[in-house]
Amino acid sequence: TMKGSIMGVLLVLALVVQDRLAGGLELKSYDYTKYHTMDEISAWMNQMEMENPDVVSSMIYGQTYEKRNIALLKIGLNSTTPKKAIWMDCGIHAREWIAPAFCQYFVKEILGSYKTDSEVNTLLKNLDFYITPVLNMDGYNYSWIDSTTRLWRKSRTPGTGNCTCVGTDLNRNFYANWGMVGISRNCCSEIYNGPSALSEPEAKAVTDFLGMHQNQLLCYLTIHSYGQLILVPYGHPNISAPNYDELMEVGLAAAKAIKAVHGKSYRVGSSPDVLYANSGSSRDFARLIGIPYSFTFELRDEGQHGFILPEDQIQPTCEEAYKGAMSIINYVHDKNFKSAAITVTATLWTTLTALWISSTNVI
Amino acid sequence: MASTGDLEPTHYPARRAAQVALHYLNTHHGSPFRVFGLQQVHKASAEDVAAGGRKYKLDFSVTDWGSGSAGPALRCSADVLFPRTERHSAPEVQLHCEALHQINSTAQEEDAFYQKYISPDSTVSARDIPDSFGNMSEEMQPFWRLARVAASFIMLRESSENTEFNMAKVASVTQQESSEEQLMLEFVVLLHDFPSQEIVQWKLLASWSPDRGVRVLQTEWQPRCPHATKPPN
């Protein structure tokens, strides 16, 4: 009958829909080779925490101007004693989409390898990673609205006083030689450093967190694009970090590791040398409060695509940046934990020697 | 503070001067199938000159973005003079690249492209090349390159020691009526300047044919914020 066949069709449709829904909710594989919206990234962060409860926890450490919760993923094996840590943030500048893509890739890599890769396992055992996939959430979200907003850079705080423009450059807003060089006092400028240092809640959130974890943090990595650069402190041409030579050595080693992956050259140097002078950057602040290994990564490319890096370059860019970051992280780790390894080895030899001596005595 | 004498090739003063030489190279040898990019600066030096400008001497390599990473590198040398005048004036470039005429000819593609779009009923019109995800159809790629070459005229003219321009995207391309057997294209391009981090919008009218190459006939700076009124320089 007509009614019967309609019911039959509806039944089949219902089954098909249910099947599609079930497939969607199950093993929804996250595509690390595509750019993701702010909502997708937030959902992904929850998923990482839920799927890896023994090594991942999230922390909300501030709120953006538009009242979004600024969150990071803390990744590391549990320990009874306080651990040293590595900080990584991505997306201080909204239009640099490859940066948040890298943070997500980095998390995926370490979570996917720590059980089988002894090097990564050791890192997660001895260190905690604090990773913020998108710091400037308001700006990032804004850059997704349409093609006219794609190249937004700053925060979304409204201008103060007579200013009708929106936004402060978060990477000029930190309390690190604030306002001294490479900034603009014109609030419409892309490098407007804000009405005052730390006027931006996003910069304040990072500042507070770094301050609270000052003694734990060994390394500060901040990820940007474009330019293919590894930048060492400071942004002011007349100020040099006390460990500049070492930072350059570590940076050059990272660039070498990057080049080995896909042949891309990354230039290494202080910002005033290889790019331009600037002040109020998060990297400078991190170094100033004593985090010894502080670097800015400027990822692909060198200007052909600039901020709008095609999605087919996400994978290779992340692969090389991962090697670069790991080069630095391993250096930092070995410098702080190598002596522990020597102690363990020495103890082992002492024990073995004692056993041998006692065994020969028995004979 | 500017230093005279040898420059570190990986530092920005040499890089910026080399980019200016690249803009010059592209205005002369760029096409819908050829855009040159800087591969590496090998050696650089600078000196202040009598009339109050600064002259850079550069030794660098370039590649054709069209050939990707597989393409050969061309060795070039250039003198780039940044005048020091009260009002900005364009840098002056003298350039020589080895084997420029030996690189793979794109004459066939250029002719095919020309024939396709010179027809009187061709009315190409497109926006956002590339889109927000970096995608660009194959059909649009020669138009992107043409825009990039035409933009090089502007980037060359607007450059100083305190700027470093790249083309961020093509906002729009609108084909105009062909004139004197030239493809006529109106572009709106968005340029990115590193030091200021500004996105600068320019509308321009360019012509192209395989014989005459790219010529820029009109340029107009366009404000991006409603209240902004004067051009950067």
Side-chain angles (χ1 to χ4, degrees):
Chain A
T1 62
M2 181 71 149
K3 205 177 193 181
S5 51
I6 289 173
M7 290 306 288
V9 167
L10 285 173
L11 183 60
V12 169
L13 276 173
L15 287 169
V16 167
V17 168
Q18 186 189 64
D19 178 63
R20 288 249 168 93
L21 278 176
L25 288 170
E26 272 177 0
L27 265 175
K28 196 162 189 179
S29 214
Y30 195 78
D31 194 342
Y32 293 91
T33 67
K34 291 258 175 293
Y35 294 118
H36 289 279
T37 64
M38 196 60 244
D39 285 347
E40 286 170 355
I41 296 174
S42 298
W44 167 84
M45 288 176 76
N46 289 336
Q47 194 185 351
M48 291 299 103
E49 193 177 0
M50 280 198 313
E51 287 176 2
N52 305 273
D54 41 337
V55 286
V56 181
S57 59
S58 65
M59 295 168 73
I60 294 171
Y61 62 98
Q63 272 200 328
T64 65
Y65 169 74
E66 290 174 354
K67 301 275 175 278
R68 293 183 170 83
N69 284 331
I70 307 174
L72 56 75
L73 291 176
K74 178 182 177 185
I75 304 177
L77 292 163
N78 278 331
S79 158
T80 46
T81 50
K83 293 168 73 180
K84 294 292 185 187
I86 311 278
W87 168 283
M88 185 186 294
D89 64 66
C90 295
I92 281 184
H93 293 132
R95 58 194 179 198
E96 300 166 12
W97 285 13
I98 186 62
F102 174 67
C103 266
Q104 293 164 73
Y105 177 93
F106 184 89
V107 166
K108 179 247 309 178
E109 273 305 302
I110 61 177
L111 289 179
S113 63
Y114 81 92
K115 288 180 182 162
T116 50
D117 182 325
S118 61
E119 189 181 271
V120 178
N121 190 278
T122 307
L123 288 175
L124 288 195
K125 193 177 74 175
N126 293 331
L127 297 167
D128 280 335
F129 288 79
Y130 293 113
I131 301 175
T132 302
V134 185
L135 179 62
N136 182 6
M137 301 167 78
D138 295 350
Y140 185 76
N141 191 61
Y142 184 77
S143 71
W144 271 81
I145 293 176
D146 61 40
S147 59
T148 67
T149 65
R150 175 63 176 84
L151 294 172
W152 186 260
R153 168 183 169 86
K154 303 187 286 182
S155 68
R156 291 295 301 164
T157 348
T160 53
N162 289 335
C163 180
T164 51
C165 292
V166 173
T168 289
D169 185 344
L170 292 177
N171 213 30
R172 302 285 186 281
N173 190 244
F174 283 79
Y175 201 64
N177 301 308
W178 182 83
M180 288 189 72
V181 67
I183 57 98
S184 170
R185 293 309 295 152
N186 179 342
C187 89
C188 296
S189 161
E190 296 284 14
I191 52 174
Y192 173 57
N193 59 338
S196 56
L198 294 187
S199 56
E200 307 306 293
E202 298 85 352
K204 180 87 174 31
V206 173
T207 297
D208 289 347
F209 189 96
L210 295 184
M212 269 200 296
H213 296 82
Q214 206 166 339
N215 296 325
Q216 272 183 270
L217 287 163
L218 297 174
C219 180
Y220 176 89
L221 299 176
T222 183
I223 315 297
H224 292 248
S225 78
Y226 59 98
Q228 289 174 211
L229 306 166
I230 296 175
L231 303 173
V232 305
Y234 290 108
H236 195 291
N238 300 348
I239 309 170
S240 255
N243 60 341
Y244 171 81
D245 288 345
E246 188 189 13
L247 289 171
M248 282 301 294
E249 219 182 278
V250 175
L252 286 163
K256 194 169 170 198
I258 289 174
K259 192 160 192 167
V261 186
H262 297 298
K264 293 296 183 186
S265 297
Y266 277 56
R267 292 179 290 130
V268 183
S270 70
S271 200
D273 279 347
V274 299
L275 186 57
Y276 46 57
N278 69 345
S279 56
S281 71
S282 66
R283 173 206 63 230
D284 282 1
F285 174 73
R287 186 62 196 92
L288 279 172
I289 60 165
I291 300 172
Y293 302 97
S294 192
F295 297 90
T296 306
F297 275 60
E298 296 279 357
L299 302 181
R300 286 193 196 182
D301 61 12
E302 288 185 303
Q304 185 178 348
H305 299 96
F307 300 114
I308 313 182
L309 192 69
E311 286 180 313
D312 64 10
Q313 286 201 46
I314 294 178
Q315 176 75 14
T317 304
C318 288
E319 285 168 352
E320 69 201 19
Y322 181 79
K323 289 295 188 193
M326 275 306 186
S327 168
I328 296 173
I329 291 165
N330 276 311
Y331 175 90
V332 171
H333 170 275
D334 292 350
K335 203 163 179 206
N336 284 273
F337 295 92
K338 194 170 170 190
S339 46
I342 289 173
T343 310
V344 167
T345 316
T347 312
L348 195 58
W349 275 114
T350 311
T351 312
L352 284 173
T353 312
L355 279 172
W356 177 78
I357 291 171
S358 58
S359 70
T360 52
N361 280 345
V362 164
I363 290 169
Chain B
M1 197 169 347
S3 52
T4 301
D6 284 344
L7 300 175
E8 188 58 55
T10 59
H11 288 186
Y12 79 77
R15 294 281 298 193
R16 285 184 195 173
Q19 300 283 18
V20 170
L22 255 298
H23 295 320
Y24 179 89
L25 175 62
N26 280 320
T27 59
H28 281 77
H29 294 280
S31 82
F33 296 91
R34 176 152 290 134
V35 179
F36 291 104
L38 177 65
Q39 190 210 47
Q40 197 190 358
V41 179
H42 303 290
K43 280 204 330 240
S45 65
E47 58 177 359
D48 289 335
V49 294
R54 194 160 168 79
K55 187 198 273 200
Y56 290 72
K57 278 180 137 40
L58 306 159
D59 169 13
F60 57 102
S61 289
V62 307
T63 55
D64 177 4
W65 281 346
S67 355
S69 32
L74 284 182
R75 195 70 174 242
C76 300
S77 62
D79 282 1
V80 177
L81 170 66
F82 291 105
R84 296 257 174 87
T85 50
E86 256 192 50
R87 254 188 54 189
H88 172 82
S89 50
E92 292 163 32
V93 181
Q94 287 181 322
L95 172 74
H96 171 74
C97 292
E98 290 172 1
L100 200 48
H101 299 286
Q102 286 172 33
I103 42 179
N104 280 340
S105 171
T106 52
Q108 244 185 333
E109 297 103 307
E110 289 184 27
D111 278 332
F113 177 75
Y114 178 78
Q115 292 308 326
K116 183 171 178 186
Y117 293 104
I118 199 67
S119 107
D121 20 86
S122 174
T123 51
V124 172
S125 176
R127 307 194 63 83
D128 301 319
I129 310 158
D131 66 14
S132 289
F133 306 91
N135 300 321
M136 173 183 337
S137 68
E138 218 176 292
E139 194 198 355
M140 281 298 122
Q141 283 175 26
F143 289 100
W144 182 90
R145 290 189 207 109
L146 269 176
R148 180 58 174 78
V149 173
S152 300
F153 284 79
I154 300 174
M155 294 191 283
L156 172 62
R157 188 184 69 200
E158 300 296 315
S159 285
S160 73
E161 288 168 282
N162 303 315
T163 61
E164 194 175 332
F165 288 109
N166 282 293
M167 185 177 82
K169 67 181 271 187
V170 179
S172 68
V173 54
T174 319
Q175 185 169 11
Q176 310 292 302
E177 203 178 299
S178 302
S179 159
E180 295 174 23
E181 298 180 338
Q182 304 296 303
L183 276 186
M184 299 292 284
L185 297 162
E186 182 193 84
F187 291 109
V188 175
V189 296
L190 297 179
L191 308 179
H192 169 243
D193 170 50
F194 262 114
S196 67
Q197 291 290 350
E198 294 294 331
I199 303 293
V200 190
Q201 185 166 313
W202 286 87
K203 180 158 90 169
L204 59 101
L205 180 64
S207 72
W208 177 78
S209 71
D211 307 323
R212 272 219 253 159
V214 178
R215 296 198 181 175
V216 171
L217 309 164
Q218 286 170 34
T219 65
E220 182 190 315
W221 174 81
Q222 301 202 303
R224 290 191 84 221
C225 300
H227 56 271
T229 48
K230 59 178 170 59
N233 275 321

